[in-house]
Amino acid sequence: LEILVTILNENDNSPVFAQPNITKDIPEDTEVDTAVVARDEVSASDADLDTIYYELTTTVQDTDGYFAIRGVNNPEIYLQKALDYDKFNSTTLLLYARDRPVGSADLTNTGTATITITIKQSDTRAPWFLPCTRLHNDSSVCISSPYSGRVNISEMSTDPLLLEPGPIYAVDPDYTINDRIVYSIVGGNTDEVFSVDADTGNLTMNKVVTSPDSFLLQVMATQVSNVRKYSVATVEIKVINKSNYPPYFEKGIYNGTVFVGLPQRSFVYQAGDPSTPLVVTAMDQDFPDV
């Protein structure tokens, strides 16, 4: 008697990842569509020899949409959207491997792999002169105001010049890199009157100024390790006559009269003389003829 026995394959095995936990470091400036985890690293196997269907999700809020898989049967993970280190610097992805399509009514076995992605900040931004204001709360752009200062005509100052809104100072906005900044004057320095300290940014005088012409200096801040990353700030230096005396008011107290019901911008009149507008006058002994 010959008995033929046929063994039917049961779906009793779950897909298995060779590496259920994967960690990857990715530069911030990685180009979109670049593969960040190779297909071989995240492919699962199934002892039942079923076709495997993949799905990728993220567990970290506000990091969805940056990474994706090439297809439902191709688990290669690639960058789908440009990264920004200031928005997030790490995320955790879950890759599911199923032996039936998503939504199938059949018994489905699932395997899971965890992929931890760490974003490494790249040198993507030029130096920022401080103080500066971020544009529309965008962390990639910070607008600084021009610097300004004054020097006295025919007078040599040996100390660093005092500037507004503060001393010349720039930083590397890619703060985890924090490259050293060096300074130089690249324009507007007629007759080499001024010099800037390459390390501190302090602006000093090399010689006296004999004419009342102002200077509009251009100071460049450059990263030491990447000279292509630089920014230029404007420094206006006004040449003035030396002031030896502070201004003073002609009177210590001024008294005025105003009438009820007058519109805005109406004159205030002198107390006791309602026909004469009140005038507040200051004097300066440095300018006796003014």
Side-chain angles (χ1 to χ4, degrees), residues 5 13 125 246 254:
V5 178
N13 292 284
R125 294 174 289 189
Y254 291 83

Side-chain angles (χ1 to χ4, degrees), residues 178-192:
N178 196 26
D179 199 0
R180 188 165 69 90
I181 306 296
V182 293
Y183 305 90
S184 60
I185 299 176
V186 295
N189 194 15
T190 306
D191 296 330
E192 302 297 320

Side-chain angles (χ1 to χ4, degrees), residues 108-183:
T108 302
N109 297 308
T110 304
T112 305
T114 302
I115 300 96
T116 301
I117 303 291
T118 301
I119 313 300
K120 296 297 184 181
Q121 191 171 39
S122 300
D123 192 7
T124 59
R125 294 174 289 189
W128 288 350
F129 281 97
L130 300 181
C132 66
T133 303
R134 296 195 177 189
L135 188 63
H136 307 306
N137 294 322
D138 185 350
S139 61
S140 63
V141 180
C142 201
I143 305 300
S144 59
S145 300
Y147 296 94
S148 63
R150 298 181 298 178
V151 295
N152 295 325
I153 193 169
S154 301
E155 183 174 303
M156 180 72 175
S157 175
T158 58
D159 295 326
L161 301 183
L162 297 178
L163 303 176
E164 294 291 341
I168 298 172
Y169 182 62
V171 297
D172 181 359
D174 300 311
Y175 49 87
T176 63
I177 299 173
N178 196 26
D179 199 0
R180 188 165 69 90
I181 306 296
V182 293
Y183 305 90

